[in-house]
Amino acid sequence: MMGERSAQDRLFAADHIYLDYVGRETLYGYLAQHRGQLFRDEDFAILYCRNNGRPSVPPSLAVSILFLRAYEGVSFVEAIERTKYDLRWKVALGLELEEVPIQKSALQEFQARLVLHEQGEALLKKSIDEARRAGYVESRRIRVALDTTPTLGKGAVKDTYNLLADGIEKLACRLAEVAGEPNAGWAEKEGLQRYFGSSLKGEAAIDWDDKAQRDQLLTQIVQDGRRLLSLAEQARHEHPEHGEAIQADAALLERLIRQDVEQKPGGGCQIKEGTEKDRLISVHDPEMRHGRKSASKTFNGHKTAVAVDMESQLICGVEVLAGNAGDQEKALDLVHQAERVTEAQVEETVGDCAYGGGPTRKAFAAEQRLLTAKVPTSHNGDCFPKSAFAIDLDRMEVRCPAGQTTTAFESKGTNRGGRFMFADATCQSCCLRSQCIKGTSGRTISIQPEERLQQQARAHNKTGAGQKSLRERVVVEHGIARLVRLGIRQSRYFGKAKTRFQVILAAVVANLSLVVGFCYRKQKPAINTTHPVTQALSTPTDVQNTAQNGFLADNWISWIRHQYFFYCIRPYLVYSPM
């Protein structure tokens, strides 16, 4: 059953005594002043039974601890310790000095509930709502910029031998659990004990420079794996209640064998040449993939895609993609998420050339959305690229750099585009032939199904509005930089769902940090150096004394609480016998 925080403030809560000492302009001070509006218990009622069970730790308190944990980048253990001794945390959470609000297991369980019930987007929306309440965001029409950044996975990435060994170990542990036997005992009975040692490759007494010995070991591993798959099939029929779990682990092992191993012509197995498309690289985190951010930069893990409001720089959309996915994947979903989170209409979406492909433009055009992105350029070596040809889709005509035209078009289907073809004789007699084509046949120009959309995009990008939007796209880089500083470069969890929650919490922190800065700038009075009072404060000591008097005058209630606590209450709490 959901516990709730009392609406009545406690006299000796740390935020009443030390708020000005910690600083009202800090993120801790802002959370202390506005946590009742930002995180409310009733917003998390879906996570709890309404009329049964013991009252839980108030969810508004638990989510505030998760927020501070994301801000500080600490573990669950360290977060609990901070609630015990860190005055800034006690002020932000409204705790008394001797209060211990929650245990580590309860905090972990609460975060698991948030992930299972997909409450990440709701938390992101709370940060936008707070920005709107503070006056940082007012418009109901926004422009968003999209981009991605790598997030390294938590799972161990191994070579083929150890990857197969992990798959065998996982399935063997599942079958031992179904049989009700210890893992080591069941594995020894089935002759699989070497997969439960410290290192399969380290304990294999072979010459790793000898390919024949390597292939022999691989063949033995594959044979053990296939024998284990037969045992799994038998166990699945004997224990249908465990059939789904057994099938999942068996499918994982079967995929590992299929993606990396091939049969040798003379018998036995060997490692395939090249890399399998969508290759599984970790048994501990099967959702990790090989990724490539650029031609020279590779990574293992996921891609984090974000949508940033170009005016306020608030992060209003987060998705976690596979490491080998294209940047443009789920671009439209990010726009829909941004509209749900901000409760505003997205008037324009801006991205780099990764979002400028034909299929992405077609998806945005189908919803009548404006997409501003550079059109990917095509290269043709030292010869004229496609952009050097004038393509008139209304007249279905193409003119080459030499002034020759053609209307010969070969269609590949309604949704597959086609190509324009110049006659061989025309190209052979052309004076620019050496700069246009290397072969003996005529030049061809491929036409995408979305060619008209691409032409419209090129025209829009040359306008003043289009060029301005492309320049302003840099704000998404700033948003990603804030997330990277908050630790999203390395995933702290297995799987995309938990990683996405990690990124969302970082986005909430980044958004509220912008709001705190805005509120501080708005409330900070401008200094008039010509005012007589300002001129009278000629020494630093005068300024310090004036500030101190102002503090006592404006915060007399906090000062009285502070004096009463330290001189009347705290001595009794410290020296009284337990």
Side-chain angles (χ1 to χ4, degrees), residues 31-84:
L31 183 59
Q33 299 172 80
H34 302 284
R35 61 174 178 267
Q37 302 165 347
L38 183 59
F39 302 123
R40 302 179 302 172
D41 290 323
E42 56 266 26
D43 295 334
F44 303 94
I46 190 176
L47 307 180
Y48 300 92
C49 178
R50 295 182 180 273
N51 54 7
N52 190 21
R54 296 183 303 169
S56 68
V57 174
S60 60
L61 175 60
V63 76
S64 298
I65 296 175
L66 291 178
F67 172 84
L68 292 175
R69 176 175 177 262
Y71 179 57
E72 297 279 2
V74 297
S75 64
F76 281 103
V77 174
E78 180 62 21
I80 300 304
E81 293 300 314
R82 295 287 179 94
T83 63
K84 297 178 182 178

Side-chain angles (χ1 to χ4, degrees), residues 341-372:
V341 167
T342 61
E343 295 182 345
Q345 180 182 353
V346 175
E347 292 187 324
E348 181 184 16
T349 305
V350 185
D352 57 19
C353 63
Y355 298 88
T360 307
R361 293 193 186 279
K362 182 178 179 181
F364 275 75
E367 295 191 6
Q368 298 181 352
R369 295 183 179 274
L370 175 60
L371 173 63
T372 302

Side-chain angles (χ1 to χ4, degrees), residues 8 57 62 95 107 119 202 213 260 307 393 441 475 510 568 574:
Q8 182 176 2
V57 174
L95 304 176
L107 186 61
Q119 293 296 299
Q213 294 188 39
D260 285 348
L393 296 178
S441 59
V475 300
C568 300
V574 174

